[in-house]
Amino acid sequence: MIINTGGRTDTVNYYSDWLLNRFKEGFVYSRNPFYPDQVYKYILSPDVVDCVVFCSKNYEPILSRFYEIYDRFNVFCFYTITAYGEDIEPRVPDIETSMSTLIKLSSLVGKEKVAWRYDPVLLTDKYTVESHLKTFDCMAEKLASYVKLCIFSFVEMYKKLEKNMPEIIPFTSETKKQILEGFGETSKKYNLKIQTCADSEDYSKYGICTSGCITADILSGSLGVKFKKLPHNGNRKNCRCMPSRDIGAYNTCLNGCKYCYANSDPAVAFKNFPKHNPNSPIMLGNISEQDVIIDGKQESFIEPQQSLFKNFSAI
């Protein structure tokens, strides 16, 4: 199975002590966001966890102890670094600091296990096509040697985003084309593999692949293992990721990004944060008598290694 630590919140940035404690104790509880009384229990053992997937905008809080996880488990790390400042990502480190941290992360786990996420791409009067192309080029030049690939996506206009970011300028076919051409040319210049996320369109003419983020192809090549044939349907429209289990909680991310889909409102996350106990088996709060604990389905997705001598008789 694949454990996902960053789909619902920036666990690495704000809950790294809790995360390390869970791997030390060997199990974790994850509350069902749709049926809050249901709590899934997952065993955190290399025997059943094929890979731990991380996604964060700041790995600095975990770097000094990250070995406690990657020494025992296969890991793959998505590092989100965009062009935006505090006006859109108020609690995210600046670009230079973030790139420096990514380079340190890459030196620890290896470039094959790190992907740079430049998403979402959105337009405002400040963040224009031209500014994106310039920033992306500068970042790609510095990061290409330290990552396996770059993943980007065009912003999805959720209903709450219309309220939170009325300044967003919708993409036209021309502005979208300019981004695609520019990103494709930059990636070719720096020999950087690039792909989109959760997009059904074919961008191959720009040198851009359309795929999922957590796929058997990406993980197999990075980890040196072969995965069984699995559905890659993801959990949202056009998502092409393989099945994973998220151990985080919605409405807990303190980054405050205006485009965030995981928080119903930035203020809710700050209200919830005091409920966090780094020693609890669950990210937010504690287990109550009303909770129903369910053993999560866990099985390895990795093809068992076959003996090279299986076709030879013993001599």
Side-chain angles (χ1 to χ4, degrees):
M1 70 174 296
I2 309 296
I3 288 289
N4 189 332
T5 72
R8 298 173 181 171
T9 189
D10 196 335
T11 309
V12 169
N13 197 4
Y14 299 106
Y15 304 96
S16 58
D17 286 342
W18 173 83
L19 186 65
L20 290 163
N21 285 340
R22 299 313 338 124
F23 278 92
K24 182 178 180 179
E25 294 192 33
F27 75 96
V28 66
Y29 288 146
S30 178
R31 193 174 298 280
N32 188 326
F34 304 105
Y35 302 96
D37 290 339
Q38 292 183 358
V39 177
Y40 290 95
K41 179 180 180 180
Y42 298 112
I43 302 300
L44 299 179
S45 165
D47 294 333
V48 290
V49 175
D50 301 316
C51 182
V52 185
V53 174
F54 300 86
C55 188
S56 176
K57 294 179 178 177
N58 183 16
Y59 279 78
E60 188 63 41
I62 204 172
L63 285 186
S64 65
R65 295 179 59 194
F66 203 18
Y67 67 91
E68 295 178 25
I69 298 177
Y70 68 69
D71 273 357
R72 298 177 55 222
F73 293 84
N74 289 322
V75 300
F76 194 88
C77 306
F78 294 96
Y79 203 134
T80 302
I81 311 177
T82 67
Y84 313 118
E86 293 182 353
D87 54 330
I88 293 182
E89 299 175 341
R91 290 171 60 86
V92 175
D94 62 70
I95 292 175
E96 291 297 330
T97 300
S98 295
M99 289 195 295
S100 176
T101 304
L102 183 149
I103 292 171
K104 288 189 285 186
L105 172 68
S106 180
S107 69
L108 290 175
V109 302
K111 65 172 289 184
E112 288 298 314
K113 298 179 182 179
V114 181
W116 164 36
R117 297 188 67 99
Y118 186 95
D119 73 302
V121 181
L122 57 84
L123 301 180
T124 68
D125 287 337
K126 178 179 179 180
Y127 300 102
T128 62
V129 169
E130 292 73 20
S131 68
H132 274 296
L133 297 182
K134 181 179 179 179
T135 303
F136 183 79
D137 187 279
C138 292
M139 294 170 68
E141 181 181 14
K142 294 182 179 180
L143 297 179
S145 299
Y146 301 97
V147 298
K148 177 183 176 69
L149 77 161
C150 175
I151 298 171
F152 75 98
S153 66
F154 293 102
V155 68
E156 290 190 42
M157 291 302 297
Y158 297 102
K159 287 186 177 180
K160 62 183 176 182
L161 189 56
E162 296 176 4
K163 175 184 177 182
N164 293 341
M165 290 199 69
E167 68 269 33
I168 285 184
I169 299 172
F171 277 97
T172 64
S173 58
E174 180 58 29
T175 54
K176 199 171 185 180
K177 179 183 177 183
Q178 290 173 354
I179 291 288
L180 293 167
E181 288 179 340
F183 281 16
E185 291 172 2
T186 293
S187 299
K188 183 178 180 180
K189 179 168 61 173
Y190 298 116
N191 194 28
L192 175 65
K193 181 179 178 181
I194 186 170
Q195 69 171 63
T196 55
C197 170
D199 201 320
S200 61
E201 296 186 47
D202 182 3
Y203 300 135
S204 57
K205 65 181 179 180
Y206 303 106
I208 297 171
C209 175
T210 302
S211 183
C213 306
I214 307 174
T215 66
D217 285 343
I218 289 175
L219 296 184
S220 293
S222 301
L223 309 178
V225 299
K226 182 178 180 181
F227 283 89
K228 301 173 183 177
K229 291 184 178 180
L230 298 166
H232 285 59
N233 301 325
N235 54 11
R236 61 192 177 107
K237 185 179 179 181
N238 296 323
C239 183
R240 303 182 184 184
C241 292
M242 64 196 296
S244 65
R245 296 293 178 264
D246 200 306
I247 60 175
Y250 290 116
N251 290 309
T252 60
C253 185
L254 305 182
N255 284 332
C257 302
K258 293 178 72 174
Y259 52 75
C260 179
Y261 68 87
N263 287 342
S264 59
D265 186 287
V268 177
F270 285 91
K271 184 178 180 180
N272 280 333
F273 188 71
K275 302 175 186 178
H276 171 67
N277 176 3
N279 296 313
S280 172
I282 197 165
M283 177 175 284
L284 199 62
N286 294 284
I287 301 300
S288 69
E289 294 181 356
Q290 289 74 36
D291 289 329
V292 178
I293 307 299
I294 303 170
D295 288 329
K297 184 179 180 181
Q298 294 186 258
E299 60 178 322
S300 176
F301 295 154
I302 295 177
E303 289 277 12
Q305 291 185 343
Q306 297 180 349
S307 171
L308 295 175
F309 306 101
K310 67 177 183 177
N311 293 324
F312 292 87
S313 300
I315 297 177

